[in-house]
Amino acid sequence: HVLATHISERDLPRLYKAANAFVLPSRGEGWGRPMVEAMSMGMPTVITDWGAPTDYANSSNAWPIPAAGLSCVNSEPKRGNPAGVYAAHRWAEASIPELRRTLRMLFTNADPRIAQRAAAARATMRGYGYEEINRICESRLELCATLHEPLRKYQLPLSSQLIALPA
């Protein structure tokens, strides 16, 4: 189904629960929030094996579709991209035959690992909650601060800078 209306964040969990799988064979993702949301709910998640989602999604907790090739990102200078900063970037083109095979397998429940991968996805995503991300950011910022010690006297303590967001 293609939904042409806005779905509130409050309604997203119901939408995810109504689906049998989450499929987003995108050409590239900065982080992939919808993928993280689907995996957090333990949904079978099909993604392109490219870009940032490979930091958390793999064949143990999702169905990564290999890229059949890469294409150049349009990097002409224009509004929103004044200097053509994406000139070195590439889009991944998901393998259509592999995508078809994976969707057929999920549709027929032909793989005994479906439930196992879905549970692994949910477990993986537990490491990406607000507290965990705050801890990771704080440790990385502390490392940066040690590398730039002369600037440290101008910084507030990190604990006063981090904001706890509601779960």
Side-chain angles (χ1 to χ4, degrees), residues 55-77:
D55 286 347
Y56 54 83
N58 54 59
S59 61
S60 71
N61 60 17
W63 281 265
I65 304 299
L70 301 176
S71 62
C72 293
V73 174
N74 181 352
S75 63
E76 293 296 317

Side-chain angles (χ1 to χ4, degrees), residues 5 23 70 83 92 111 157:
T5 59
V23 181
L70 301 176
D111 190 328

Side-chain angles (χ1 to χ4, degrees), residues 5 10 13 29 32-33 36 49 51 55 58 73 88 91-92 105 114-115 118-119 128 134 143 150 164:
T5 59
R10 194 165 141 180
E29 294 291 331
R33 181 178 173 183
V36 169
D49 194 13
D55 286 347
N58 54 59
V73 174
W91 291 126
M105 178 273 306
I114 292 173
Y128 290 94
N134 273 349
L143 175 62

Side-chain angles (χ1 to χ4, degrees), residues 6 16 21-22 24 39 42 47 51-52 60 68 70-71 80 96 101 107 111 118 143 147 157:
H6 172 76
Y16 286 124
F22 179 84
L24 185 61
M39 290 176 71
I47 63 163
S60 71
L70 301 176
S71 62
I96 300 301
R101 187 194 67 70
F107 179 75
D111 190 328
L143 175 62
L147 298 173

Side-chain angles (χ1 to χ4, degrees), residues 102-159:
T102 301
L103 294 178
R104 221 173 264 123
M105 178 273 306
L106 288 171
F107 179 75
T108 60
N109 289 313
D111 190 328
R113 297 171 296 171
I114 292 173
Q116 180 184 17
R117 285 191 194 185
R122 182 177 281 136
T124 299
M125 291 300 107
R126 285 189 199 111
Y128 290 94
Y130 290 116
E131 288 100 27
E132 292 81 4
I133 296 300
N134 273 349
R135 264 194 300 282
I136 291 168
C137 289
E138 187 168 335
S139 69
R140 302 262 169 89
L141 289 170
E142 286 289 350
L143 175 62
C144 289
T146 61
L147 298 173
H148 297 88
E149 193 61 38
L151 299 176
R152 197 168 176 77
K153 64 182 175 183
Y154 300 107
Q155 297 175 343
L156 294 172
L158 285 174
S159 58

